[in-house]
Amino acid sequence: MGFGLDEIHDLISGPTQTGSSSFTALLELPQPQAVELLVNEDFPSNHLPPPIFPSNNGLIDRATKFSVFASSHNSPESNAILSISSPMKPDVVKQEPLGSDSHPKSSSPTVSNQSLKSGKRKEKERKVKESNKKSKKLVADGGEKLPYVHVRARRGQATDSHSLAERARREKINARMKLLQELVPGCNKISGTATVLEEIINHVEALQRQVEFLSMRLAAVNPRTDFNFDALLAAESGLSIDNGYMGMFSPSILPEGQINGSRQVQYQQLWHSNELHQPVWAREENNPNFITPGNSLLSYGSSANSGKSTVQ
Amino acid sequence: MVEPSVISNPDTNPNASRKKRRKIGSDYPNGAAAEPCGNRWRTETEQQIYSSKLVDALRHLRRPDSADAAVRTVRDAADRVLAVSAKGRTRWSRAILARRLSLRLSQIRKKHKRAARPDAGLKKPAVQKKLPPLQRKVRALSRLVPGCQKLSLPNLLEETTDYIAALEMQVKAMAYITGILNGVPAAAAAGGGSLAD
């Protein structure tokens, strides 16, 4: 936390740099006191370098938060959270809300990580993360999540609770939308929440349709999976199956599966699968009638599908 | 006197503290990482776990009567296995797992309701509220993601993120399995198998 002191100096001297107009307003604390303690170099001997205020737990919070704040104050839109309002309460708990929501991702994860780790080390306190809501209340409790988030207003923005809350909410939503945009292909260029949402909806629908389609194919193939599946898997990985044959196999399935009923798909599958079994299982044998080994293998399975019998 | 209590305390205390710590520990990742943006679904191991579980589930499926029922059972099995792989941390996974139970209940309830209120169908949509298009899209999205009907927007977006990642993994795994079952070498090759041409 060596950087703390300089940053704190900057902070105290120029609150405008931090981008907060309500810096001192939110600090109900004896601000000058804290400043003095920080800036004043001829401390009483028992006071350690600024980040540590052993005498006052509230100041300890503040100090640690300063460090949090300091590391992030370079970014223009960083908002540190100081849980304030009652400095004298020793066991103040701040809520740590969510992750790197409203911040440039580079700084905030580290900050949040730091803050989280140090929060863990402190017995009952949690590091406050960066968010935008106004500090409403402090609940003194040990190690439990607060319903309130402590925030600070940015420079040049309205500071009443409603707009702050709204802004915080918007920030959360925008952060999540950004994540989604990265996930959904082609959404990066689109701007505007509505269109992005549209894309997301389309993507989810497309994925669900794909799952449906794949499950249809799986269902068609399923009757034969009862037997020897492990062998099939092993064979699949080890053997080289005739490529041209397979090339004929799969494209024929696709249009069938979509147009005709799956019953027909099943028949086709089984018919093809018979020929498939020949190279896999009965490679050595020269079977004039390829149906027979296929049938025996098929009937091995517990599910004697009626389709199989008609294939005969 | 003091000793027994001291002895017994460590018994309970570690448990309590362990529980507490575990709780905090589990809270932290949830709060801080916020259901890690789909990263866990992208790992190869996750796909393998899912594939093996799916194969297992497919093997134990009940034999369906009709073709459509077959598709439905396979789809349900796939979704269920996906939800199980989610380890219940997300809302949609819990909703999928609870689907089976709630399906029966809702059917029974609907039957009772219809019997009790025969005039329900006659109700005209007197007031057709046109929500702003954004809201409508949000509603549409919430209908798509299972179990997220009445969820706030940020949570809904979070669930959607995880859901999309999970779905993509599901598609990949199912395509792989289908490919294997069909004996298509390309699928296995894509999945990392070493097949000679």
Side-chain angles (χ1 to χ4, degrees):
Chain A
M1 294 195 205
F3 56 79
L5 184 53
D6 297 336
E7 305 296 333
I8 293 171
H9 278 296
D10 291 347
L11 273 180
I12 307 303
S13 53
T16 56
Q17 295 175 13
T18 66
S20 157
S21 55
S22 53
F23 181 92
T24 50
L26 284 180
L27 275 184
E28 292 177 15
L29 219 270
Q31 160 90 4
Q33 227 182 50
V35 173
E36 266 180 26
L37 278 171
L38 287 172
V39 173
N40 197 355
E41 249 130 31
D42 20 47
F43 285 166
S45 55
N46 51 356
H47 284 305
L48 300 172
I52 305 170
F53 300 121
S55 56
N56 193 344
N57 286 345
L59 287 176
I60 290 180
D61 306 346
R62 199 150 308 95
T64 46
K65 265 165 264 139
F66 272 139
S67 62
V68 169
F69 184 86
S71 63
S72 66
H73 102 300
N74 330 341
S75 52
E77 19 169 353
S78 67
N79 304 296
I81 296 172
L82 299 183
S83 83
I84 314 119
S85 107
S86 175
M88 291 311 153
K89 277 197 188 153
D91 38 344
V92 137
V93 181
K94 302 76 158 181
Q95 181 187 3
E96 46 90 15
L98 342 145
S100 33
D101 276 4
S102 36
H103 292 284
K105 294 190 175 122
S106 55
S107 62
S108 50
T110 49
V111 169
S112 52
N113 282 343
Q114 275 180 16
S115 54
L116 281 178
K117 280 181 202 154
S118 46
K120 267 190 187 171
R121 281 190 214 109
K122 303 248 172 205
E123 291 155 348
K124 290 175 186 176
E125 300 175 21
R126 300 214 163 176
K127 281 309 146 229
V128 190
K129 301 263 310 271
E130 295 138 325
S131 85
N132 283 349
K133 292 197 198 125
K134 189 171 168 189
S135 81
K136 294 170 187 166
K137 188 177 153 191
L138 278 184
V139 176
D141 206 347
E144 289 193 8
K145 266 195 180 170
L146 271 185
Y148 295 105
V149 182
H150 302 286
V151 281
R152 163 184 305 173
R154 280 190 237 168
R155 176 185 173 77
Q157 290 182 339
T159 58
D160 57 297
S161 62
H162 293 297
S163 50
L164 273 176
E166 179 66 30
R167 207 176 311 131
R169 183 172 160 269
R170 278 280 126 191
E171 292 271 342
K172 266 201 278 186
I173 291 177
N174 287 339
R176 306 250 166 87
M177 290 283 287
K178 248 192 285 182
L179 286 177
L180 267 175
Q181 270 185 305
E182 291 166 12
L183 207 50
V184 177
C187 262
N188 285 322
K189 305 152 193 162
I190 303 180
S191 61
T193 319
T195 31
V196 170
L197 266 184
E198 184 103 29
E199 281 302 310
I200 293 172
I201 292 177
N202 291 339
H203 194 235
V204 171
E205 281 178 350
L207 283 174
Q208 283 180 338
R209 260 180 285 145
Q210 268 185 315
V211 171
E212 184 79 29
F213 179 60
L214 278 173
S215 68
M216 194 164 55
R217 287 182 68 176
L218 259 183
V221 179
N222 217 16
R224 354 185 253 106
T225 60
D226 295 333
F227 58 91
N228 240 350
F229 188 72
D230 301 319
L232 182 56
L233 273 176
E236 171 66 11
S237 53
L239 292 174
S240 61
I241 303 181
D242 189 16
N243 226 355
Y245 178 74
M246 288 309 122
M248 169 186 75
F249 177 68
S250 50
S252 68
I253 287 302
L254 280 172
E256 303 291 341
Q258 280 168 340
I259 301 170
N260 306 334
S262 58
R263 183 66 70 180
Q264 189 159 0
V265 175
Q266 273 181 335
Y267 293 160
Q268 283 236 339
Q269 289 262 6
L270 294 168
W271 191 78
H272 284 296
S273 67
N274 289 338
E275 302 178 74
L276 164 63
H277 287 320
Q278 186 186 11
V280 172
W281 275 282
R283 266 203 304 190
E284 272 41 75
E285 307 167 12
N286 207 0
N287 265 328
N289 186 9
F290 68 85
I291 301 277
T292 325
N295 270 346
S296 62
L297 281 168
L298 288 170
S299 54
Y300 175 101
S302 55
S303 64
N305 208 347
S306 58
K308 292 176 199 155
S309 51
T310 51
V311 168
Q312 291 175 11
Chain B
M1 283 296 204
V2 182
E3 269 184 284
S5 61
V6 167
I7 293 175
S8 60
N9 269 347
D11 247 47
T12 55
N13 263 350
N15 292 340
S17 61
R18 215 182 301 137
K19 263 190 227 162
K20 187 179 183 189
R21 226 168 268 135
R22 204 182 297 142
K23 189 178 176 197
I24 294 182
S26 67
D27 271 341
Y28 256 116
N30 275 348
E35 270 99 41
C37 14
N39 284 333
R40 63 192 181 126
W41 290 110
R42 296 209 193 106
T43 60
E44 187 70 32
T45 56
E46 196 68 47
Q47 189 179 334
Q48 285 170 1
I49 294 174
Y50 177 72
S51 313
S52 55
K53 283 194 182 158
L54 178 59
V55 162
D56 226 5
L58 286 177
R59 223 185 304 185
H60 292 125
L61 272 189
R62 235 177 300 152
R63 212 193 108 220
D65 314 314
S66 73
D68 293 326
V71 178
R72 211 184 321 136
T73 50
V74 169
R75 171 90 199 265
D76 288 341
D79 285 340
R80 233 180 324 122
V81 176
L82 186 68
V84 165
S85 314
K87 298 198 189 83
R89 286 207 205 107
T90 50
R91 211 184 170 86
W92 59 264
S93 58
R94 293 192 288 264
I96 288 181
L97 289 174
R99 230 193 251 168
R100 268 194 160 182
L101 301 169
S102 55
L103 192 62
R104 286 273 164 218
L105 290 173
S106 60
Q107 282 173 349
I108 296 172
R109 234 181 285 147
K110 271 191 201 155
K111 243 189 282 175
H112 289 317
K113 255 194 191 171
R114 238 174 264 145
R117 289 197 305 146
D119 60 330
L122 303 175
K123 185 177 172 189
K124 272 180 268 179
V127 178
Q128 199 184 27
K129 224 182 187 181
K130 265 267 174 169
L131 300 169
L134 188 64
Q135 280 293 319
R136 263 188 291 144
K137 295 206 174 91
V138 172
R139 293 274 169 269
L141 184 61
S142 67
R143 277 197 300 266
L144 278 179
V145 183
C148 295
Q149 289 271 339
K150 293 183 183 176
L151 209 54
S152 59
L153 185 53
N155 294 330
L156 176 62
L157 291 177
E158 215 175 291
E159 295 286 323
T160 308
T161 317
D162 202 60
Y163 188 56
I164 287 181
L167 275 182
E168 291 189 349
M169 189 218 66
Q170 187 181 21
V171 165
K172 255 201 289 181
M174 284 177 76
Y176 181 67
I177 292 179
T178 313
I180 286 189
L181 287 181
N182 290 340
V184 179
S194 56
L195 278 181
D197 247 346

